[in-house]
Amino acid sequence: MLGLSKKDASLLITVAVLVALAPIFLNPFPENSALSQFNAGYPDLMQRFVIFGIFAIGFNILFGLTGYLSFGHAAFLGAGSYAGVWMLKLLTINVIPAILISTVVAGLFAILIGYISLRRSGIYFSILTLAFAQMSFALAASVLTPITGGETGLQTALNDPRILDGANEGGNIPAPNFFGLEMGDSLQVSFAGWLWTFNAGYYVSGIIMLISFYVAIRIFRSPFGIMLRAIKSNQQRLNYTGLNTRPYMLACFVISGMYAGLAGGLMVAMDPLAGAERMQWTASGEVVLMTILGGVGTLIGPVLGAGLIKYFENIFSKINSNLLHKWFSFLPDGLEDFVVTIIYPFIGKGWHLTLGLMFMGVIIFLPGGLVELGQRISRSLSKNKNDAAEHKPAE
Amino acid sequence: MGILDIKDVGKRFGGLQALSDVNLNVEENTCHAIIGPNGAGKSTLLNCLIGKLIPDSGSVMFDGQSVLGRTPYEINQLGISRVFQTPEIFGDLTVFENMMIPIFAKRDGAFALDAISDFMSHKDVVEQAENELEEMNMADKRHMHAASLSRGDKRRLEIGMCLSQQPRLLLLDEPTAGMARADTNNTIDLLKEIKEERDITIAIIEHDMHVVFSLADRITVLAQGTPLVEDVPEKIKGHPKVKEAYLGESA
């Protein structure tokens, strides 16, 4: 199907089904239940799942295939975001030109940074990309204020030209839309206590994520992809095999940067606001965590990692001490306080601590990330099955 | 004039004259071995042949073109394939993928941005890779990770990868260094087979004399940076100068 092998096609279909049904299964708890706290099926978060999924898929094309660890990928996310907002301001509030231009701008930016950074490999490459991203961040926050809006950020305004849209009559700042379908539009369905929100912006992002995922599969299986894996494995041999690795690396870096730009463009298409903090090194670090947590070099890993981190960021950080007291109110008073005191540093603002511990656990016990966890589980399940099958004839 | 023509090459590292007045000619479709004791300048000479070092004087011509100052991939495209001292293969990839890469490189050149087609859909490349693995007697190992092959099989794969590009010169750098006896003999047999079956020029740089005696058509003995003698193996064996170089004055 679509030029994919059976295995890849079924993976793509699985992901497509999951994306389509996410609003339902991400809300497993009824609206008024005590656990509705853990529901993740609201538009804002679901949009972030798929957008950061795109970011991580693109990062993985660079890091997973070639082993080059870029520590400055947020620069492309930010560049894409700014380009996207400018498109929304100047051309039209329709999201399509914004998304396209953010991808292109990030690609051009990646050519510049990649051309210089790729003169080095290993840790020096990481440092160079980090330096570029921090420079971009500093520029965006100060010198380039006329273009980037400085520390307040760049957003759409009532008096933007929007030359394709004609006169603005409503008196409100128009919301980004896809040929009239506003990104904020949602269809809410209530069913026996459950509340499901089907959001237009989420589905636009989701479809673009599926396309990105499909393209990533094709890249992984292409001659280009195999050369990238060869670069990771033994660059010297590849050079002596008659291949010039430099343009391969640059092409890969640019593709990866374009994915980041696309994610940035989608972010502003959902919420037309771009700030310099999007380029900061913590944002670059986050995508590294996502990829490693999910599984470096695997197809689905980065998407899972992005989902997990965004889930923690949004759900864990919302748990506060009142809620903890409520949960543990069945314990005797002294014990309740004690348990809450122990758990408290790991939730709310302390969710980074939980993330850090999880990251350490994955690095030490599951170097292949969540994908390896899945493989181990399915292997032990099938082993049990085989054992059972082997035992039967003996009976 | 031979296919590889080394003329008056000299190289100096600080106070050490590593090579001086090296003149050497490798004739087409022969196997030429360059041997010498430790510190004779073999590695320096090799590095001059592959563009890693630029000699202070002299020239290195391959088929009428200078190889000096060229990048590794340009050297390869001239028709020189290099086999390393420790087998250099793509350990994370399968044996079959290893074999496909040089064939893609030969077909598509130094850079080809084909990021969309499935690599297994290139039937010509797949077919050639299958044939080469068959030739190397490695068809049954095609799905193995290259890193998990035995040392001898890694060498076999590396040589197969080089041959798949139909190079005009196969350059081997101590191909049996650090190998067990059985693997060494296998590698020598493989090289003999290649020499008989294919029109190929082979240049071997080797420390161990016994490896090359049964293989080489001509042998150059290098000592202290200069060629001592060059002759057919039978004459090299008993040559007093060679004995002297390897064993010292007293012999």
Side-chain angles (χ1 to χ4, degrees):
Chain A
M1 191 196 78
L2 293 169
L4 297 181
S5 71
K6 237 182 192 165
K7 211 174 137 199
D8 292 337
S10 61
L11 180 65
L12 182 65
I13 291 169
T14 314
V15 175
V17 171
L18 289 180
V19 168
L21 299 180
I24 297 174
F25 72 80
L26 285 178
N27 265 357
F29 309 109
E31 197 55 17
N32 295 318
S33 68
L35 289 171
S36 68
Q37 182 81 29
F38 292 102
N39 279 345
Y42 56 94
D44 192 38
L45 182 54
M46 287 193 301
Q47 286 167 6
R48 245 172 278 170
F49 283 159
V50 287
I51 291 172
F52 277 91
I54 294 172
F55 190 21
I57 291 171
F59 182 76
N60 189 44
I61 290 175
L62 179 68
F63 182 45
L65 287 178
T66 71
Y68 276 61
L69 175 61
S70 161
F71 228 90
H73 248 50
F76 307 123
L77 190 78
S81 290
Y82 286 126
V85 176
W86 275 113
M87 236 344 95
L88 294 174
K89 283 166 86 71
L90 297 178
L91 193 67
T92 167
I93 200 72
N94 190 323
V95 296
I96 296 299
I99 292 169
L100 289 178
I101 205 79
S102 55
T103 313
V104 172
V105 166
L108 294 174
F109 198 37
I111 292 177
L112 178 73
I113 294 186
Y115 185 78
I116 300 168
S117 303
L118 287 168
R119 295 177 167 269
R120 290 284 169 270
S121 61
I123 187 79
Y124 301 103
F125 170 78
S126 305
I127 299 287
L128 279 173
T129 50
L130 175 62
F132 271 113
Q134 283 302 87
M135 283 194 304
S136 312
F137 164 66
L139 285 177
S142 59
V143 186
L144 294 178
T145 301
I147 303 173
T148 62
E151 284 180 358
T152 42
L154 186 70
Q155 51 191 309
T156 48
L158 199 55
N159 56 0
D160 287 335
R162 281 189 291 274
I163 44 180
L164 289 186
D165 289 359
N168 181 19
E169 283 156 5
N172 290 323
I173 303 174
N177 62 57
F178 176 70
F179 301 108
L181 181 69
E182 283 188 12
M183 293 298 105
D185 282 347
S186 290
L187 174 70
Q188 289 203 322
V189 177
S190 210
F191 173 79
W194 279 275
L195 183 70
W196 298 322
T197 313
F198 301 93
N199 172 259
Y202 166 70
Y203 280 104
V204 169
S205 313
I207 287 166
I208 293 176
M209 192 271 258
L210 286 175
I211 296 170
S212 315
F213 188 59
Y214 170 70
V215 173
I217 298 179
R218 295 299 295 250
I219 292 175
F220 267 63
R221 305 286 181 243
S222 69
F224 178 67
I226 204 175
M227 295 308 170
L228 297 179
R229 280 160 60 211
I231 287 176
K232 182 180 187 177
S233 185
N234 192 338
Q235 187 152 178
Q236 165 155 272
R237 171 40 87 197
L238 199 60
N239 276 322
Y240 280 102
T241 303
L243 285 155
N244 187 0
T245 49
R246 188 65 79 68
Y248 277 97
M249 280 308 307
L250 186 61
C252 176
F253 192 79
V254 170
I255 291 172
S256 180
M258 287 170 80
Y259 267 78
L262 173 65
L266 276 172
M267 277 171 145
V268 296
M270 300 304 123
D271 178 16
L273 171 72
E277 77 289 341
R278 212 165 268 181
M279 288 186 163
Q280 221 172 352
W281 69 273
T282 45
S284 298
E286 198 180 48
V287 75
V288 180
L289 293 190
M290 287 171 179
T291 309
I292 293 175
L293 263 185
V296 182
T298 61
L299 284 165
I300 191 68
V303 184
L304 297 177
L308 188 73
I309 286 188
K310 284 293 144 190
Y311 183 82
F312 266 74
E313 182 185 278
N314 288 276
I315 304 295
F316 256 65
S317 62
K318 266 194 239 147
I319 305 171
N320 54 28
S321 63
N322 285 341
L323 210 65
L324 278 185
H325 278 290
K326 212 166 96 188
W327 287 347
F328 293 104
S329 57
F330 63 91
L331 293 171
D333 260 358
L335 197 57
E336 181 191 326
D337 286 343
F338 178 72
V339 170
V340 170
T341 316
I342 294 290
I343 297 179
Y344 186 68
F346 295 91
I347 51 118
K349 280 185 182 153
W351 75 273
H352 280 111
L353 195 56
T354 317
L355 180 69
L357 287 173
M358 212 162 63
F359 192 67
M360 278 163 59
V362 165
I363 295 282
I364 294 167
F365 300 109
L366 285 173
L370 294 177
V371 170
E372 189 181 332
L373 180 70
Q375 282 168 347
R376 280 194 199 174
I377 292 171
S378 74
R379 216 176 303 149
S380 68
L381 285 181
S382 68
K383 202 176 155 202
N384 285 341
K385 225 186 249 170
N386 286 347
D387 285 351
E390 275 167 28
H391 284 301
K392 258 185 190 157
E395 282 172 8
Chain B
M1 204 182 86
I3 188 164
L4 183 68
D5 188 22
I6 303 172
K7 245 195 201 123
D8 303 327
V9 164
K11 180 76 193 173
R12 197 177 181 87
F13 298 111
L16 176 75
Q17 188 74 40
L19 293 176
S20 54
D21 301 325
V22 179
N23 283 290
L24 215 154
N25 240 312
V26 179
E27 296 292 330
E28 202 156 4
N29 294 333
T30 61
C31 177
H32 197 126
I34 299 160
I35 63 170
N38 285 329
K42 300 188 300 285
S43 301
T44 311
L45 181 60
L46 176 79
N47 284 333
C48 289
L49 301 186
I50 54 166
K52 225 176 189 174
L53 283 177
I54 296 181
D56 304 330
S57 60
S59 67
V60 180
M61 306 291 276
F62 179 75
D63 199 23
Q65 283 178 293
S66 174
V67 304
L68 300 181
R70 287 186 195 260
T71 58
Y73 74 88
E74 287 170 334
I75 299 245
N76 174 280
Q77 285 170 344
L78 286 178
I80 303 178
S81 262
R82 184 183 171 194
V83 175
F84 288 78
Q85 199 163 356
T86 44
E88 294 281 351
I89 49 176
F90 306 110
D92 304 333
L93 275 57
T94 66
V95 169
F96 195 68
E97 287 167 336
N98 265 274
M99 196 50 108
M100 286 179 82
I101 288 172
I103 300 172
F104 269 122
K106 178 81 180 173
R107 195 191 70 173
D108 298 340
F111 175 66
L113 185 60
D114 182 355
I116 289 301
S117 70
D118 190 327
F119 72 88
M120 289 300 281
S121 70
H122 295 258
K123 291 285 174 248
D124 52 332
V125 179
V126 170
E127 200 173 302
Q128 202 191 333
E130 270 163 2
N131 288 340
E132 284 294 341
L133 283 180
E134 204 73 54
E135 291 266 310
M136 290 288 131
N137 290 325
M138 295 190 76
D140 52 328
K141 300 189 174 86
R142 55 180 284 173
H143 294 301
M144 278 174 77
H145 266 238
S148 60
L149 291 173
S150 72
R151 179 81 182 240
D153 275 342
K154 280 180 186 161
R155 174 63 79 213
R156 193 168 264 274
L157 176 61
E158 187 187 28
I159 292 174
M161 286 162 70
C162 288
L163 291 176
S164 72
Q165 296 192 309
Q166 285 123 15
R168 306 201 36 212
L169 173 68
L170 188 65
L171 196 59
L172 298 116
D173 179 15
E174 303 204 17
T176 61
M179 272 191 187
R181 169 73 46 93
D183 279 339
T184 302
N185 291 339
N186 280 338
T187 306
I188 294 173
D189 290 344
L190 174 68
L191 289 171
K192 277 184 187 160
E193 214 180 288
I194 292 164
K195 201 181 119 189
E196 276 161 27
E197 286 173 9
R198 310 198 188 212
D199 294 330
I200 191 170
T201 315
I202 302 176
I204 302 184
I205 303 214
E206 181 60 70
H207 170 76
D208 184 352
M209 281 203 262
H210 301 284
V211 172
V212 292
F213 273 127
S214 55
L215 203 59
D217 299 313
R218 282 192 86 76
I219 295 179
T220 300
V221 182
L222 211 61
Q224 282 154 4
T226 20
L228 211 55
V229 270
E230 187 194 316
D231 217 324
V232 291
E234 297 77 47
K235 295 222 174 136
I236 292 287
K237 227 169 202 168
H239 204 290
K241 273 188 174 178
V242 179
K243 276 189 181 165
E244 194 186 305
Y246 264 84
L247 301 170
E249 295 284 343
S250 58

